Amino acid sequence: MGNKQESKNQAGKARIGAIGENLVVAKLMQQGWDAFNANCTIKNYKSIDIVCLNADLKENGELWWKPKASLVQVKTSVQTNIPTGFSIKETLDLDYLQQMVKGPYVFVSAKPKNSGYSFRYFVISRKQFINLLYVAHQYYVNVLHQGDNLELSAPACISISWLEGKPEFSSRNHTNFGNPVSESCEDKWENIWED
């Protein structure tokens, strides 16, 4: 019985993830940009969910003729802490994050309603994402849980409150961890084109 329930939960998570990705494609296209889901050709493409092109912006240097491209990762959850696809251990290695993060992230917060879901979109640039992930988890491991025996292979999450620019660490009463996101990135679609 347990395996059936686990399989149903996994299918539900996959479905909400697919819904989030498709909604983000639609939102990007509403901005006047061309976007397609990379997972349509390769299931769960590594580090990239959506390829977005902006014909009004051009690449620099010798590629001046080429439209600006952005490789977007989408993370969707019904929880207030959204898994990032990285482990806590990986977030503590800044060089690793700089190598593995390919572009901006869109965090989709899905809230169940009677007739489905309501969605909020938090768009964070590549640089903002790396800084937030690194600073928050350094604080989590070295300050909040200093001396504790943490499971560093556990998933690293991003709190919606951090994406709203709030300084607190979850709902706990601790000092500001130095959130590098100083203002809400909700619906900040221009962050798609920032490093």
Side-chain angles (χ1 to χ4, degrees), residues 2 35 44 52 56 63 88 97 116 121 155 158 171:
N44 208 9
C52 186
D56 294 332
L63 299 177
I88 293 171
L97 291 175
Y121 306 90
I158 293 283
S171 61

Side-chain angles (χ1 to χ4, degrees), residues 70-73 102-106 123-126 191-192 194:
S70 184
L71 307 175
V72 182
Q73 182 71 260
K102 306 301 183 196
Y105 272 59
V106 179
V123 187
I124 188 168
S125 72
R126 177 183 177 274
N191 282 338
I192 292 292
E194 299 295 325

Side-chain angles (χ1 to χ4, degrees), residues 19 30-31 50-51 56 60 77-78 93 106-107 116 137 164 190:
I19 290 169
Q30 286 174 0
Q31 306 294 322
I50 297 169
V51 177
D56 294 332
N60 293 327
S77 181
V78 297
D93 184 343
V106 179
F107 289 93
H137 289 87
E164 292 173 328
E190 63 273 15

Side-chain angles (χ1 to χ4, degrees), residues 41-137:
T41 54
I42 298 176
K43 187 177 180 183
N44 208 9
Y45 199 89
K46 181 85 172 144
S47 304
I48 300 165
D49 289 317
I50 297 169
V51 177
C52 186
L53 302 172
N54 186 341
D56 294 332
L57 298 176
K58 302 294 181 190
E59 295 291 350
N60 293 327
E62 293 180 19
L63 299 177
W64 59 267
W65 52 271
K66 190 176 183 183
K68 188 82 167 171
S70 184
L71 307 175
V72 182
Q73 182 71 260
V74 179
K75 296 294 180 186
T76 305
S77 181
V78 297
Q79 305 298 320
T80 56
N81 287 325
I82 302 179
T84 62
F86 292 96
S87 70
I88 293 171
K89 180 180 180 181
E90 290 169 336
T91 67
L92 303 176
D93 184 343
L94 189 56
D95 290 335
Y96 178 80
L97 291 175
Q98 289 173 338
Q99 179 183 352
M100 297 305 295
V101 177
K102 306 301 183 196
Y105 272 59
V106 179
F107 289 93
V108 182
S109 175
K111 293 295 175 207
K113 288 192 153 192
N114 292 342
S115 60
Y117 293 91
S118 66
F119 298 94
R120 294 173 69 195
Y121 306 90
F122 297 89
V123 187
I124 188 168
S125 72
R126 177 183 177 274
K127 185 176 180 179
Q128 286 176 314
F129 173 71
I130 291 170
N131 288 341
L132 176 58
L133 200 58
Y134 181 74
V135 168
H137 289 87

Side-chain angles (χ1 to χ4, degrees), residues 139-152 172 174:
Y139 178 87
Y140 180 77
V141 170
N142 298 318
V143 176
L144 195 60
H145 290 284
Q146 183 180 20
D148 294 348
N149 189 15
L150 292 175
E151 184 60 51
L152 296 180
R172 298 180 184 156
H174 293 283

